[in-house]
Amino acid sequence: MRTHDFNYLNKAYQTGGTHLLRRVFNDAVSHDKQEALNQLDDDSLLFPVFFLLLRDVAAHDMCGDLNGRNAIAYGLCADKIKNLSGLRTAAEEADGDALELTLRWMLETGKNEPTDPSFRNEFDAVIDYVAALLIIKFDDKTALALVADLIFRRNRQGLLIHDLVWSFFQTLDTATLLHIADYLLSSNPKDAALAQKILHVEAADPGENKRALHRRVTDWIRQNGPYLYLTGEHLQQITNPVHLRCDREAKYLNKEISPRYRAPLEPLSTAERACLSRYREANDDEQQILTDYSYQLRGRDMRLWDVWLQKETAEQVIAAGERTEAI
C-alpha cells in the first residue's frame, strides 16, 4: 500500500508547509509537467495539499488535465472560493459513486488542515460543505464520527463550528452520540464543556463528577436511541439549542422512529393505534409515567407488558404507580 510519505508533494507540505509545497510544485511543473500532474493524481495525495495548490493548478492551465477525483474536488472548492475559475460544474456532472468517494477523500485526509492561516477560512468553508453533502445527500453515517472529531478540534482552536454542528444533526446515529458523550471525560475543559452543550446536559448536582455524568448520559442514549428525533434547533438560531429529544409515544409503544421525520419506521397496527389513542387520553404527567413504566416492564417481561398495554389508561396508570403489573 502506498503511504502519504511516498508522494513528494505530501512530503514537501509536511516538511515545509505552504511555501515549500508551492515552490516544489511550481518547479516540478516547469521541469516535467506530466510528472507534476502524476503527483496530483496519486491515490495517496492529501486533500489539503491539493487545496493549497488550487490556484497554481489554475495558473498553469492544468484544470482540464486533472483526473476524475481531482476535477470533482476542484469543482467543489470552486463553489466555495471566490475567483477560482474553471471546472465549476465537474461535481454536478459526476456520478453518485465518484462524488461520494471524492467527498470521503476530502474529509478523511482533510483532517490534516493547512497550517497557513491565510487559507483557514476558505479551507474550513470547503470542509463544512463536504461534511454537509456527505451527511445530507448520501446519508453517510460513517462520516459522523469524523465530523464530530473535527467539531471538537476546531472548538479547541477557537474556530467556528456552527455549520459543522448543523450538518452533524441532520441525521442521528446512536454510536456517534456515544462518541460525543465520551468527550465528557476529556481532560480538556473545552471538550467537556462542548460535549455538554451539544448533548444539552449538565451535572445533576455539584457532587456529580464527570464519570457519573458520562454514565448517566450514555445510559440515556442507549435507552432512548430508537426513539430520538431531531428538533431542528441549531446554533445559528439560539445559543443553547436542544438538538434532540425522545418521542415518548414511540418509547411507550416500542416503535423505532425516523430521527429526521419523527415518524415510525414501520406503520402502526390497528392494535397499536388503539393503544396510542388511549395513551393520549392521559394528562402530561401520566403520559410520562406510562412511558417510563412501559419501558421498564418491557425489559422485565414482554408477556406482561403486552397484557398491560391492552388495559384501559386508568388501569395502566394505577399499575405504573404501584410498580406492579396488577394483572
Side-chain angles (χ1 to χ4, degrees):
M1 177 181 288
R2 292 167 69 87
T3 67
H4 294 160
D5 290 340
F6 184 83
N7 187 293
Y8 69 62
L9 296 178
N10 288 341
K11 197 166 186 178
Y13 162 64
Q14 291 164 339
T15 304
T18 307
H19 179 73
L20 179 60
L21 168 65
R22 295 186 67 195
R23 182 162 62 80
V24 167
F25 179 72
N26 282 282
D27 286 348
V29 172
S30 63
H31 288 94
D32 187 344
K33 191 173 181 178
Q34 184 56 51
E35 176 54 25
L37 193 62
N38 292 342
Q39 290 287 313
L40 285 178
D41 289 347
D42 193 88
D43 289 344
S44 67
L45 187 78
L46 299 167
F47 170 65
V49 173
F50 181 71
F51 177 87
L52 292 167
L53 294 173
L54 288 172
R55 290 183 172 85
D56 299 281
V57 168
H60 289 294
D61 197 23
M62 297 171 70
C63 293
D65 299 322
L66 295 173
N67 67 5
R69 178 199 67 186
N70 289 345
I72 295 170
Y74 189 102
L76 291 166
C77 293
D79 279 347
K80 293 295 170 185
I81 299 176
K82 292 179 181 176
N83 305 320
L84 186 62
S85 60
L87 296 179
R88 197 166 292 275
T89 62
E92 297 172 4
E93 296 170 350
D95 67 58
D97 289 344
L99 176 57
E100 186 173 10
L101 284 173
T102 300
L103 291 168
R104 291 286 309 188
W105 169 68
M106 295 170 77
L107 183 61
E108 288 176 355
T109 67
K111 292 182 296 185
N112 302 302
E113 300 173 22
T115 53
D116 189 335
S118 60
F119 290 92
R120 170 71 68 183
N121 290 340
E122 289 182 343
F123 184 81
D124 286 354
V126 169
I127 290 297
D128 289 355
Y129 185 39
V130 167
L133 286 173
L134 271 173
I135 293 171
I136 299 171
K137 184 177 179 67
F138 293 101
D139 196 25
D140 185 349
K141 290 186 171 60
T142 63
L144 291 175
L146 294 174
V147 173
D149 290 336
L150 192 52
I151 288 170
F152 283 91
R153 187 179 301 118
R154 278 199 200 165
N155 185 61
R156 284 181 223 121
Q157 298 167 330
L159 302 172
L160 282 177
I161 60 171
H162 288 39
D163 289 344
L164 280 179
V165 174
W166 179 85
S167 295
F168 181 82
F169 280 109
Q170 294 310 296
T171 189
L172 271 186
D173 174 71
T174 301
T176 314
L177 289 176
L178 292 170
H179 181 63
I180 291 276
D182 287 344
Y183 278 97
L184 294 168
L185 300 171
S186 172
S187 58
N188 187 320
K190 286 187 175 180
D191 287 351
L194 181 61
Q196 286 193 40
K197 184 170 185 174
I198 288 176
L199 296 172
H200 203 74
V201 297
E202 57 185 19
D205 57 64
E208 187 178 44
N209 61 35
K210 63 183 181 182
R211 290 204 172 277
L213 176 60
H214 175 262
R215 185 166 53 251
R216 180 163 59 86
V217 170
T218 53
D219 285 349
W220 186 88
I221 292 171
R222 289 192 179 97
Q223 181 183 126
N224 297 298
Y227 323 113
L228 295 179
Y229 67 94
L230 299 165
T231 64
E233 293 183 11
H234 48 83
L235 286 167
Q236 286 92 337
Q237 295 174 318
I238 52 180
T239 56
N240 196 23
V242 181
H243 293 289
L244 51 92
R245 293 186 190 278
C246 176
D247 186 314
R248 61 187 185 188
E249 290 187 354
K251 188 175 180 180
Y252 170 75
L253 286 178
N254 191 29
K255 296 293 288 188
E256 186 173 357
I257 61 172
S258 161
R260 189 177 298 176
Y261 304 111
R262 197 183 175 182
L265 294 181
E266 296 179 358
L268 298 183
S269 66
T270 301
E272 287 170 334
R273 286 198 296 274
C275 288
L276 197 55
S277 178
R278 291 194 296 273
Y279 175 87
R280 289 172 177 167
E281 293 172 357
N283 63 38
D284 191 68
D285 291 340
E286 289 173 338
Q287 287 184 3
Q288 189 60 60
I289 291 170
L290 292 176
T291 292
D292 292 342
Y293 185 66
S294 178
Y295 176 81
Q296 294 165 8
L297 182 59
R298 190 165 61 241
R300 204 163 63 234
D301 191 320
M302 284 293 290
R303 186 188 65 82
L304 291 178
W305 175 72
D306 192 52
V307 174
W308 173 82
L309 203 61
Q310 307 309 316
K311 290 185 172 295
E312 295 299 320
T313 304
E315 293 179 89
Q316 290 188 17
V317 172
I318 291 172
E322 295 175 349
R323 289 292 187 269
T324 173
E325 288 73 60
I327 297 172

PDB file of all heavy atoms in Angstrom, residues 262-282:
ATOM      1  N   ARG A 262     -39.437  12.068  12.480  1.00  0.00           N
ATOM      2  CA  ARG A 262     -40.207  11.759  13.682  1.00  0.00           C
ATOM      3  C   ARG A 262     -41.452  10.948  13.328  1.00  0.00           C
ATOM      4  O   ARG A 262     -42.573  11.282  13.734  1.00  0.00           O
ATOM      5  CB  ARG A 262     -40.606  13.050  14.424  1.00  0.00           C
ATOM      6  CG  ARG A 262     -41.030  12.786  15.867  1.00  0.00           C
ATOM      7  CD  ARG A 262     -41.495  14.037  16.574  1.00  0.00           C
ATOM      8  NE  ARG A 262     -41.995  13.708  17.895  1.00  0.00           N
ATOM      9  CZ  ARG A 262     -42.502  14.596  18.741  1.00  0.00           C
ATOM     10  NH1 ARG A 262     -42.576  15.878  18.398  1.00  0.00           N
ATOM     11  NH2 ARG A 262     -42.937  14.217  19.931  1.00  0.00           N
ATOM     12  N   ALA A 263     -41.245   9.892  12.577  1.00  0.00           N
ATOM     13  CA  ALA A 263     -42.341   9.015  12.164  1.00  0.00           C
ATOM     14  C   ALA A 263     -41.891   7.567  12.331  1.00  0.00           C
ATOM     15  O   ALA A 263     -40.707   7.264  12.145  1.00  0.00           O
ATOM     16  CB  ALA A 263     -42.717   9.277  10.703  1.00  0.00           C
ATOM     17  N   PRO A 264     -42.817   6.645  12.685  1.00  0.00           N
ATOM     18  CA  PRO A 264     -42.424   5.238  12.845  1.00  0.00           C
ATOM     19  C   PRO A 264     -41.800   4.678  11.573  1.00  0.00           C
ATOM     20  O   PRO A 264     -42.250   4.982  10.461  1.00  0.00           O
ATOM     21  CB  PRO A 264     -43.748   4.545  13.164  1.00  0.00           C
ATOM     22  CG  PRO A 264     -44.652   5.612  13.658  1.00  0.00           C
ATOM     23  CD  PRO A 264     -44.248   6.860  12.929  1.00  0.00           C
ATOM     24  N   LEU A 265     -40.768   3.851  11.746  1.00  0.00           N
ATOM     25  CA  LEU A 265     -40.141   3.242  10.573  1.00  0.00           C
ATOM     26  C   LEU A 265     -41.080   2.222   9.934  1.00  0.00           C
ATOM     27  O   LEU A 265     -41.009   1.976   8.730  1.00  0.00           O
ATOM     28  CB  LEU A 265     -38.827   2.556  10.972  1.00  0.00           C
ATOM     29  CG  LEU A 265     -37.710   3.482  11.464  1.00  0.00           C
ATOM     30  CD1 LEU A 265     -36.455   2.676  11.791  1.00  0.00           C
ATOM     31  CD2 LEU A 265     -37.387   4.549  10.418  1.00  0.00           C
ATOM     32  N   GLU A 266     -41.967   1.644  10.759  1.00  0.00           N
ATOM     33  CA  GLU A 266     -42.971   0.715  10.239  1.00  0.00           C
ATOM     34  C   GLU A 266     -44.349   1.237  10.636  1.00  0.00           C
ATOM     35  O   GLU A 266     -44.522   1.800  11.720  1.00  0.00           O
ATOM     36  CB  GLU A 266     -42.756  -0.684  10.821  1.00  0.00           C
ATOM     37  CG  GLU A 266     -41.431  -1.311  10.398  1.00  0.00           C
ATOM     38  CD  GLU A 266     -41.233  -2.688  10.998  1.00  0.00           C
ATOM     39  OE1 GLU A 266     -42.125  -3.113  11.781  1.00  0.00           O
ATOM     40  OE2 GLU A 266     -40.206  -3.312  10.714  1.00  0.00           O
ATOM     41  N   PRO A 267     -45.350   1.029   9.784  1.00  0.00           N
ATOM     42  CA  PRO A 267     -46.701   1.540  10.102  1.00  0.00           C
ATOM     43  C   PRO A 267     -47.229   0.928  11.396  1.00  0.00           C
ATOM     44  O   PRO A 267     -46.925  -0.213  11.723  1.00  0.00           O
ATOM     45  CB  PRO A 267     -47.538   1.089   8.898  1.00  0.00           C
ATOM     46  CG  PRO A 267     -46.562   0.749   7.834  1.00  0.00           C
ATOM     47  CD  PRO A 267     -45.305   0.320   8.501  1.00  0.00           C
ATOM     48  N   LEU A 268     -48.056   1.709  12.112  1.00  0.00           N
ATOM     49  CA  LEU A 268     -48.676   1.196  13.322  1.00  0.00           C
ATOM     50  C   LEU A 268     -49.798   0.225  12.960  1.00  0.00           C
ATOM     51  O   LEU A 268     -50.545   0.445  12.000  1.00  0.00           O
ATOM     52  CB  LEU A 268     -49.260   2.349  14.148  1.00  0.00           C
ATOM     53  CG  LEU A 268     -48.291   3.403  14.676  1.00  0.00           C
ATOM     54  CD1 LEU A 268     -49.045   4.419  15.536  1.00  0.00           C
ATOM     55  CD2 LEU A 268     -47.164   2.771  15.476  1.00  0.00           C
ATOM     56  N   SER A 269     -49.932  -0.837  13.749  1.00  0.00           N
ATOM     57  CA  SER A 269     -51.039  -1.775  13.550  1.00  0.00           C
ATOM     58  C   SER A 269     -52.314  -1.163  14.135  1.00  0.00           C
ATOM     59  O   SER A 269     -52.269  -0.141  14.844  1.00  0.00           O
ATOM     60  CB  SER A 269     -50.726  -3.099  14.246  1.00  0.00           C
ATOM     61  OG  SER A 269     -50.688  -2.900  15.651  1.00  0.00           O
ATOM     62  N   THR A 270     -53.441  -1.813  13.866  1.00  0.00           N
ATOM     63  CA  THR A 270     -54.703  -1.335  14.429  1.00  0.00           C
ATOM     64  C   THR A 270     -54.639  -1.340  15.950  1.00  0.00           C
ATOM     65  O   THR A 270     -55.099  -0.387  16.616  1.00  0.00           O
ATOM     66  CB  THR A 270     -55.855  -2.236  13.949  1.00  0.00           C
ATOM     67  OG1 THR A 270     -55.896  -2.210  12.520  1.00  0.00           O
ATOM     68  CG2 THR A 270     -57.187  -1.763  14.502  1.00  0.00           C
ATOM     69  N   ALA A 271     -54.094  -2.412  16.532  1.00  0.00           N
ATOM     70  CA  ALA A 271     -53.981  -2.512  17.996  1.00  0.00           C
ATOM     71  C   ALA A 271     -53.080  -1.412  18.557  1.00  0.00           C
ATOM     72  O   ALA A 271     -53.378  -0.816  19.602  1.00  0.00           O
ATOM     73  CB  ALA A 271     -53.443  -3.883  18.375  1.00  0.00           C
ATOM     74  N   GLU A 272     -52.001  -1.113  17.866  1.00  0.00           N
ATOM     75  CA  GLU A 272     -51.076  -0.066  18.345  1.00  0.00           C
ATOM     76  C   GLU A 272     -51.730   1.310  18.261  1.00  0.00           C
ATOM     77  O   GLU A 272     -51.540   2.157  19.142  1.00  0.00           O
ATOM     78  CB  GLU A 272     -49.782  -0.105  17.521  1.00  0.00           C
ATOM     79  CG  GLU A 272     -48.895  -1.301  17.855  1.00  0.00           C
ATOM     80  CD  GLU A 272     -47.753  -1.478  16.875  1.00  0.00           C
ATOM     81  OE1 GLU A 272     -47.881  -1.039  15.705  1.00  0.00           O
ATOM     82  OE2 GLU A 272     -46.736  -2.059  17.271  1.00  0.00           O
ATOM     83  N   ARG A 273     -52.486   1.534  17.196  1.00  0.00           N
ATOM     84  CA  ARG A 273     -53.185   2.827  17.096  1.00  0.00           C
ATOM     85  C   ARG A 273     -54.203   2.977  18.217  1.00  0.00           C
ATOM     86  O   ARG A 273     -54.390   4.072  18.770  1.00  0.00           O
ATOM     87  CB  ARG A 273     -53.861   2.958  15.727  1.00  0.00           C
ATOM     88  CG  ARG A 273     -52.891   3.235  14.586  1.00  0.00           C
ATOM     89  CD  ARG A 273     -53.627   3.772  13.365  1.00  0.00           C
ATOM     90  NE  ARG A 273     -54.561   2.805  12.814  1.00  0.00           N
ATOM     91  CZ  ARG A 273     -54.249   1.865  11.934  1.00  0.00           C
ATOM     92  NH1 ARG A 273     -53.009   1.778  11.490  1.00  0.00           N
ATOM     93  NH2 ARG A 273     -55.154   1.031  11.483  1.00  0.00           N
ATOM     94  N   ALA A 274     -54.856   1.869  18.591  1.00  0.00           N
ATOM     95  CA  ALA A 274     -55.834   1.908  19.702  1.00  0.00           C
ATOM     96  C   ALA A 274     -55.118   2.206  21.019  1.00  0.00           C
ATOM     97  O   ALA A 274     -55.603   3.007  21.838  1.00  0.00           O
ATOM     98  CB  ALA A 274     -56.583   0.583  19.780  1.00  0.00           C
ATOM     99  N   CYS A 275     -53.969   1.571  21.229  1.00  0.00           N
ATOM    100  CA  CYS A 275     -53.174   1.838  22.453  1.00  0.00           C
ATOM    101  C   CYS A 275     -52.780   3.309  22.519  1.00  0.00           C
ATOM    102  O   CYS A 275     -52.870   3.951  23.579  1.00  0.00           O
ATOM    103  CB  CYS A 275     -51.917   0.969  22.465  1.00  0.00           C
ATOM    104  SG  CYS A 275     -52.208  -0.774  22.766  1.00  0.00           S
ATOM    105  N   LEU A 276     -52.364   3.826  21.389  1.00  0.00           N
ATOM    106  CA  LEU A 276     -51.920   5.213  21.359  1.00  0.00           C
ATOM    107  C   LEU A 276     -53.083   6.172  21.616  1.00  0.00           C
ATOM    108  O   LEU A 276     -52.918   7.203  22.285  1.00  0.00           O
ATOM    109  CB  LEU A 276     -51.288   5.508  19.998  1.00  0.00           C
ATOM    110  CG  LEU A 276     -50.411   6.760  19.895  1.00  0.00           C
ATOM    111  CD1 LEU A 276     -49.308   6.729  20.944  1.00  0.00           C
ATOM    112  CD2 LEU A 276     -49.823   6.875  18.498  1.00  0.00           C
ATOM    113  N   SER A 277     -54.235   5.809  21.101  1.00  0.00           N
ATOM    114  CA  SER A 277     -55.416   6.642  21.328  1.00  0.00           C
ATOM    115  C   SER A 277     -55.744   6.707  22.818  1.00  0.00           C
ATOM    116  O   SER A 277     -56.051   7.785  23.359  1.00  0.00           O
ATOM    117  CB  SER A 277     -56.598   6.072  20.533  1.00  0.00           C
ATOM    118  OG  SER A 277     -57.752   6.834  20.773  1.00  0.00           O
ATOM    119  N   ARG A 278     -55.654   5.559  23.499  1.00  0.00           N
ATOM    120  CA  ARG A 278     -55.911   5.548  24.944  1.00  0.00           C
ATOM    121  C   ARG A 278     -54.831   6.328  25.685  1.00  0.00           C
ATOM    122  O   ARG A 278     -55.121   7.065  26.630  1.00  0.00           O
ATOM    123  CB  ARG A 278     -55.956   4.094  25.447  1.00  0.00           C
ATOM    124  CG  ARG A 278     -57.159   3.307  24.956  1.00  0.00           C
ATOM    125  CD  ARG A 278     -57.329   2.013  25.763  1.00  0.00           C
ATOM    126  NE  ARG A 278     -56.210   1.112  25.591  1.00  0.00           N
ATOM    127  CZ  ARG A 278     -56.110   0.213  24.613  1.00  0.00           C
ATOM    128  NH1 ARG A 278     -57.083   0.099  23.722  1.00  0.00           N
ATOM    129  NH2 ARG A 278     -55.075  -0.593  24.543  1.00  0.00           N
ATOM    130  N   TYR A 279     -53.591   6.169  25.239  1.00  0.00           N
ATOM    131  CA  TYR A 279     -52.461   6.866  25.879  1.00  0.00           C
ATOM    132  C   TYR A 279     -52.675   8.381  25.846  1.00  0.00           C
ATOM    133  O   TYR A 279     -52.393   9.088  26.815  1.00  0.00           O
ATOM    134  CB  TYR A 279     -51.183   6.481  25.131  1.00  0.00           C
ATOM    135  CG  TYR A 279     -49.920   7.179  25.556  1.00  0.00           C
ATOM    136  CD1 TYR A 279     -49.150   6.682  26.605  1.00  0.00           C
ATOM    137  CD2 TYR A 279     -49.465   8.330  24.898  1.00  0.00           C
ATOM    138  CE1 TYR A 279     -47.962   7.302  26.987  1.00  0.00           C
ATOM    139  CE2 TYR A 279     -48.297   8.953  25.261  1.00  0.00           C
ATOM    140  CZ  TYR A 279     -47.542   8.433  26.308  1.00  0.00           C
ATOM    141  OH  TYR A 279     -46.367   9.059  26.676  1.00  0.00           O
ATOM    142  N   ARG A 280     -53.196   8.876  24.755  1.00  0.00           N
ATOM    143  CA  ARG A 280     -53.370  10.325  24.598  1.00  0.00           C
ATOM    144  C   ARG A 280     -54.495  10.873  25.462  1.00  0.00           C
ATOM    145  O   ARG A 280     -54.648  12.093  25.577  1.00  0.00           O
ATOM    146  CB  ARG A 280     -53.606  10.654  23.121  1.00  0.00           C
ATOM    147  CG  ARG A 280     -52.344  10.479  22.277  1.00  0.00           C
ATOM    148  CD  ARG A 280     -52.608  10.603  20.799  1.00  0.00           C
ATOM    149  NE  ARG A 280     -51.361  10.493  20.031  1.00  0.00           N
ATOM    150  CZ  ARG A 280     -51.312  10.326  18.713  1.00  0.00           C
ATOM    151  NH1 ARG A 280     -52.437  10.256  18.019  1.00  0.00           N
ATOM    152  NH2 ARG A 280     -50.146  10.230  18.101  1.00  0.00           N
ATOM    153  N   GLU A 281     -55.270   9.974  26.059  1.00  0.00           N
ATOM    154  CA  GLU A 281     -56.313  10.427  26.996  1.00  0.00           C
ATOM    155  C   GLU A 281     -55.697  10.853  28.321  1.00  0.00           C
ATOM    156  O   GLU A 281     -56.318  11.607  29.088  1.00  0.00           O
ATOM    157  CB  GLU A 281     -57.318   9.291  27.249  1.00  0.00           C
ATOM    158  CG  GLU A 281     -58.146   8.913  26.023  1.00  0.00           C
ATOM    159  CD  GLU A 281     -58.971   7.660  26.281  1.00  0.00           C
ATOM    160  OE1 GLU A 281     -58.838   7.094  27.392  1.00  0.00           O
ATOM    161  OE2 GLU A 281     -59.727   7.255  25.389  1.00  0.00           O
ATOM    162  N   ALA A 282     -54.512  10.366  28.625  1.00  0.00           N
ATOM    163  CA  ALA A 282     -53.849  10.685  29.896  1.00  0.00           C
ATOM    164  C   ALA A 282     -53.289  12.104  29.855  1.00  0.00           C
ATOM    165  O   ALA A 282     -53.016  12.655  28.776  1.00  0.00           O
ATOM    166  CB  ALA A 282     -52.733   9.684  30.155  1.00  0.00           C
TER     167      ALA A 282
END
